[in-house]
Amino acid sequence: MYPENEIFREGLDDLAGHYKEILTLLGEDPSREGLLKTPMRVAKAMQVLTRGYEMDAHQVLRDALFKEDYSQMVIVKDIDFFSLCEHHMLPFYGKVHVAYIPNGYITGLSKIARVVDIYSHRLQVQERMTLQIKECIQETLKPLGVMVVVEARHMCMQMRGVEKQNSITTTSDFCGAFNQAKTREEFMNLINR
Ligand SMILES: [Zn+2]
């Protein structure tokens, strides 16, 4: 689930130690064979899933700005993401769609996906993640407008039976030119929603 050469952060051993205690508190026997390496595996997995804390999404975009006169809507749709809800530390995952209208600068399309990756690899709520992605693009590219739509399934609701299975939560945030309903509609049509 993580690359071989992933560099783990400080505190990994402590983290594993705590997960060993958690196993006991859950009624398990951490010394049985199948669980011997579990605390360290979980510790590493959790460090990977929260690696976004150490990364600067603004810097990623600032490093990849290109001067360009193009001033039509740029759309990056269906960016897959996986995150952890901060209330239950259970996964929520789905797709992010981003649109912006350049004002002299564009960025590499893969960089937008990178921004999504950074904010999703933190403990999150879907609403804040949507806002953070929008603000990051707004503050670095300074476009004429940005809109972000996030569609996600929340395991904390689905696994606990709180919500109907398969329900999808949609959040959106926008600014600038997207304050006009017509511009939002154009985006929503282009992503087939
Ligand atoms: Zn939750």
Side-chain angles (χ1 to χ4, degrees), residues 57-161:
H58 286 70
Q59 198 57 48
V60 167
L61 292 189
R62 275 197 293 264
D63 287 346
L65 289 185
F66 308 104
K67 220 171 168 18
E68 186 61 66
D69 285 336
Y70 185 80
S71 60
Q72 300 301 310
M73 194 182 294
V74 176
I75 294 177
V76 190
K77 66 173 189 172
D78 294 329
I79 303 167
D80 288 313
F81 81 92
F82 297 87
S83 191
L84 293 174
C85 88
E86 68 182 18
H87 302 133
H88 305 90
M89 292 176 73
L90 287 170
F92 70 99
Y93 64 92
K95 292 191 185 298
V96 178
H97 315 286
V98 173
Y100 70 94
I101 299 171
N103 186 18
Y105 289 93
I106 57 165
T107 188
L109 300 183
S110 68
K111 302 301 176 190
I112 301 276
R114 187 95 182 82
V115 167
V116 170
D117 188 76
I118 290 171
Y119 287 119
S120 60
H121 281 74
R122 297 177 184 183
L123 298 186
Q124 277 289 8
V125 295
Q126 184 177 334
E127 293 84 348
R128 188 175 66 234
M129 189 180 84
T130 308
L131 174 80
Q132 286 175 332
I133 295 167
K134 185 207 74 176
E135 285 188 335
C136 181
I137 295 166
Q138 179 65 27
E139 289 163 10
T140 54
L141 288 179
K142 301 187 169 52
L144 298 175
V146 189
M147 180 159 175
V148 176
V149 175
V150 179
E151 300 171 303
R153 294 173 192 281
H154 288 252
M155 288 302 103
C156 63
M157 294 197 288
Q158 297 192 354
M159 291 175 75
R160 299 184 309 141

Side-chain angles (χ1 to χ4, degrees), residues 170-189:
T170 303
T171 49
S172 67
D173 209 327
F174 54 84
C175 62
F178 289 90
N179 280 305
Q180 291 177 340
K182 213 176 111 234
T183 311
R184 288 200 300 279
E185 258 168 49
E186 185 186 339
F187 175 41
M188 294 310 266
N189 285 335

